[in-house]
Amino acid sequence: MYKLAIRAYFDNGVCNEFETRLERIHVIESDSDALRREIEKQLYSNTLIPDSRGNVLNLIERVDELLSVYECSLWDLQIEKPQIPKEFHEQFIKLTRMVIKAADEVCLSSRAFFNSPHDVPAYNHKVMLYEKEADMISAELKTAIFSSDIDLSLKLHYREFVEKIDGIADKSEDIADRLAIYAIQRIVY
Amino acid sequence: MDPLVLIFLTSGLFLGWALGANDASNVFGTAVGTRMITWRTAAIICAVFVILGALISGAGTSQTLGKLGAISALPGAFMTALSAAIAVYAMTKSGLPVSTSQAIVGAIIGWNLFSSNPTDPATLSKILLTWILCPVLAAGIAIVLFKSFQFASKRIKVHMILSDALTRLSLIFAGALGAYALGANNIANVVGVFIPANPFPVFMIGSFEISSTQQLFLLGGLAIALGIFTFSKHVMMTVGDGLGRLSPTSALIAVLSHSIVLLLFSSQNLESWLIEHGLPSLPLVPVSSSQAVVGAIVGITLLQGINAVRWSVLRKIVLGWVLTPIAAATISFIGLFFLQNVFNLAVV
């Protein structure tokens, strides 16, 4: 959904397709907030998983924040409507693809935490790999932006968007770091 | 029935109450402490199964205590149980872990010394051997259970919520088993010394005959249950402080190991089965529920490395185990002297 929204923006700016995708992500984000509150209520009212409750609530909160990072970066595109030159589009899409891969792996890692904590390190390893790749792409993109002849204010504006998209991979890495500790705590010691 | 009998029995019931207040925490403390089971549920299950254990399987260990010193006079039995109760109370007050089993054995030896009744060396060495064997066996069982659990958890993928529900159910099952084992194994500590005095007449309900011993076991079981309901909440809530926080799974393994060890030392059926099959049997001796739990926890902790064990805490615990029987024997000896010479009561 996010990848399609970014692609739609680079193809046609803030068009109908972009608006629809953004609206869909907004609905998902709102639903996830409601779901998070319901889970919190259930965990406390039924005194479920007392030893892992703190970790689970923390994880849910962080995954919810990851969704917010997605939504915020699209909102900023909608509000600020940066006219990013065509020469950077491919790099932006490449960066988007990589951060989404990192986020997808962290979702799989979160799922593994509940079912098979022994598998968490394998997923986390992939998150780290994709995050590193995303960092490299964002560094290349920023270098390209600042090496171009465009106005400095625009360069700074574009850099901000590179960092916003790259923020998804950073957030995924943060969650993976937490998950690594939570998984160790879950594995019988 | 002589009303004096009830007065003499109070010391045993006091000991039973103390046992209920303290030892219920060995069975359900970790489960309640980790909020896996509410205290109310734990107390009800514990009380019911302690009484059942005492009534159904309590006879085996009582016979061993009887062999150590058959106290035939009620005042003597009263002072023996009271000395054990005082020793338990004093040790608890000074913050030392305590075992009612050791206290009562110490008190009986005190009575033997006072009455010049020779302590049967075979029975005594059997009891002393179990005090070493009990924590070691509990540690061994805990290590085997823990390793098996680790092995299974790597291969069987269970969702956290389902695993939580299974752990709760297992804790209730292990707790019930532990309470039954506690009743079966430790009822001898509470009323065992009164059995030779035979204080109650045989009671008939229809065609059922309830012997004096069974009445004593029921009374003792009720005293333990009272201890659980009136005083165990605080102990259960704070049980984890000294030994460190346990995960619910480790707690389950500790309680299971404890229950298995207590049952091994109290089941007459198991003993006869082992003998029938030519296997070495374990003596039916009241062992300490605290020793079993400590042994199990040390076993689990040892798996994390030798340095993970808090040796200073363990040293204190072992010191408590050594001091308890000595203190109980001394109090018993002095108490019997007073009872005989000041109150002119026949203690032998």
Side-chain angles (χ1 to χ4, degrees):
Chain A
M1 190 70 65
Y2 182 78
K3 197 164 72 185
L4 292 174
I6 293 283
R7 199 176 276 279
Y9 181 82
F10 284 121
D11 288 345
N12 303 306
V14 181
C15 56
N16 269 345
E17 195 191 344
F18 176 83
E19 296 275 13
T20 315
R21 307 282 183 208
L22 174 57
E23 181 54 33
R24 184 78 195 109
I25 288 176
H26 175 67
V27 171
I28 293 171
E29 210 277 330
S30 304
D31 287 351
S32 77
D33 280 341
L35 202 60
R36 178 172 55 82
R37 280 185 212 107
E38 180 58 27
I39 293 168
E40 279 170 6
K41 203 178 105 188
Q42 289 284 334
L43 284 184
Y44 277 103
S45 57
N46 296 322
T47 57
L48 296 172
I49 47 168
D51 59 324
S52 315
R53 196 188 296 154
N55 291 352
V56 169
L57 291 179
N58 209 318
L59 173 67
I60 292 172
E61 215 158 281
R62 279 164 193 269
V63 173
D64 192 35
E65 279 168 21
L66 179 65
L67 264 177
S68 304
V69 179
Y70 271 116
E71 193 189 17
C72 284
S73 66
L74 290 184
W75 252 338
D76 289 344
L77 279 176
Q78 188 197 38
I79 296 162
E80 298 173 28
K81 297 181 183 69
Q83 298 298 315
I84 298 168
K86 264 206 164 15
E87 56 189 288
F88 303 129
H89 285 191
E90 201 46 50
Q91 285 283 80
F92 262 103
I93 287 168
K94 202 174 155 192
L95 176 65
T96 307
R97 218 180 286 136
M98 203 51 73
V99 299
I100 287 171
K101 275 186 179 175
D104 282 351
E105 287 302 327
V106 92
C107 288
L108 291 174
S109 182
S110 307
R111 195 167 288 181
F113 165 69
F114 290 99
N115 282 311
S116 51
H118 289 95
D119 297 337
V120 167
Y123 289 113
N124 282 355
H125 185 73
K126 284 188 180 177
V127 177
M128 306 301 167
L129 195 78
Y130 292 136
E131 195 275 336
K132 216 168 157 185
E133 279 293 308
D135 275 351
M136 273 165 60
I137 298 168
S138 85
E140 277 170 23
L141 187 53
K142 280 192 257 183
T143 312
I145 289 168
F146 280 90
S147 311
S148 66
D149 297 329
I150 51 177
D151 194 72
L152 180 65
S153 61
L154 288 174
K155 285 178 183 173
L156 295 173
H157 197 201
Y158 300 156
R159 185 194 63 184
E160 204 183 306
F161 280 94
V162 173
E163 282 171 355
K164 272 185 184 149
I165 296 173
D166 192 31
I168 295 171
D170 292 339
K171 191 80 199 167
S172 304
E173 193 192 28
D174 282 352
I175 299 171
D177 285 340
R178 288 273 152 190
L179 269 171
I181 298 164
Y182 298 162
I184 292 168
Q185 287 175 347
R186 248 212 89 189
I187 295 168
V188 181
Y189 56 89
Chain B
M1 187 177 59
D2 189 355
L4 215 58
V5 168
L6 286 177
I7 296 170
F8 285 135
L9 267 176
T10 51
S11 63
L13 300 182
F14 174 47
L15 187 61
W17 175 84
L19 188 126
N22 278 297
D23 288 17
S25 68
N26 294 332
V27 180
F28 273 112
T30 40
V32 173
T34 51
R35 302 282 193 277
M36 292 295 275
I37 300 174
T38 60
W39 173 79
R40 204 182 149 80
T41 313
I44 292 169
I45 296 170
C46 202
V48 169
F49 280 88
V50 157
I51 295 172
L52 284 177
L55 287 176
I56 300 167
S57 310
T61 55
S62 304
Q63 283 167 9
T64 310
L65 273 193
K67 275 186 214 161
L68 188 68
I71 307 166
S72 49
L74 260 180
F78 163 79
M79 185 41 78
T80 311
L82 186 67
S83 318
I86 292 170
V88 167
Y89 180 75
M91 299 294 274
T92 310
K93 266 282 182 194
S94 30
L96 285 168
V98 70
S99 149
T100 43
S101 312
Q102 290 176 314
I104 201 75
V105 167
I108 292 174
I109 292 171
W111 181 83
N112 281 349
L113 289 173
F114 182 80
S115 61
S116 308
N117 189 32
T119 304
D120 177 18
T123 312
L124 183 63
S125 56
K126 197 161 84 172
I127 292 174
L128 290 179
L129 182 72
T130 60
W131 289 353
I132 299 164
L133 204 61
C134 166
V136 173
L137 201 62
I141 292 172
I143 289 172
V144 172
L145 285 177
F146 196 90
K147 282 281 174 196
S148 316
F149 194 88
Q150 265 188 332
F151 182 80
S153 72
K154 271 184 196 165
R155 278 147 193 88
I156 306 164
K157 289 177 181 174
V158 185
H159 192 275
M160 184 189 268
I161 301 288
L162 179 63
S163 155
D164 181 63
L166 288 174
T167 310
R168 272 168 212 259
L169 273 177
S170 311
L171 275 170
I172 290 177
F173 169 77
L177 186 72
Y180 183 90
L182 182 71
N185 192 284
N186 278 200
I187 192 69
N189 299 337
V190 178
V191 290
V193 287
F194 296 97
I195 294 172
N198 218 6
F200 296 119
V202 174
F203 191 72
M204 298 292 288
I205 300 179
S207 56
F208 286 104
E209 187 188 290
I210 303 172
S211 68
S212 168
T213 308
Q214 281 168 323
Q215 290 174 57
L216 274 173
F217 283 172
L218 178 65
L219 213 57
L222 288 171
I224 299 174
L226 190 72
I228 295 167
F229 277 108
T230 53
F231 215 72
S232 71
K233 191 172 185 176
H234 182 67
V235 188
M236 277 196 202
M237 291 296 191
T238 53
V239 73
D241 286 355
L243 295 157
R245 196 181 170 276
L246 286 178
S247 71
T249 318
S250 309
L252 173 66
I253 290 165
V255 177
L256 263 181
S257 317
H258 151 276
S259 311
I260 292 168
V261 168
L262 254 65
L263 275 180
L264 285 177
F265 282 107
S266 46
S267 172
Q268 285 172 308
N269 293 340
L270 182 77
E271 189 195 35
S272 51
W273 185 87
L274 287 171
I275 294 168
E276 259 175 43
H277 290 79
L279 294 164
S281 69
L282 288 167
L284 302 182
V285 173
V287 288
S288 159
S289 137
S290 321
Q291 277 183 338
V293 157
V294 169
I297 294 173
V298 169
I300 296 168
T301 321
L302 270 176
L303 286 174
Q304 296 164 39
I306 199 128
N307 291 328
V309 180
R310 290 193 210 160
W311 293 106
S312 58
V313 176
L314 196 64
R315 258 198 302 276
K316 199 176 163 189
I317 291 173
V318 173
L319 180 74
W321 291 348
V322 174
L323 283 180
T324 307
I326 298 171
T330 314
I331 299 167
S332 173
F333 190 90
I334 297 168
L336 288 165
F337 177 83
F338 270 93
L339 218 55
Q340 191 179 54
N341 298 305
V342 180
F343 296 99
N344 278 329
L345 288 166
V347 294
V348 180

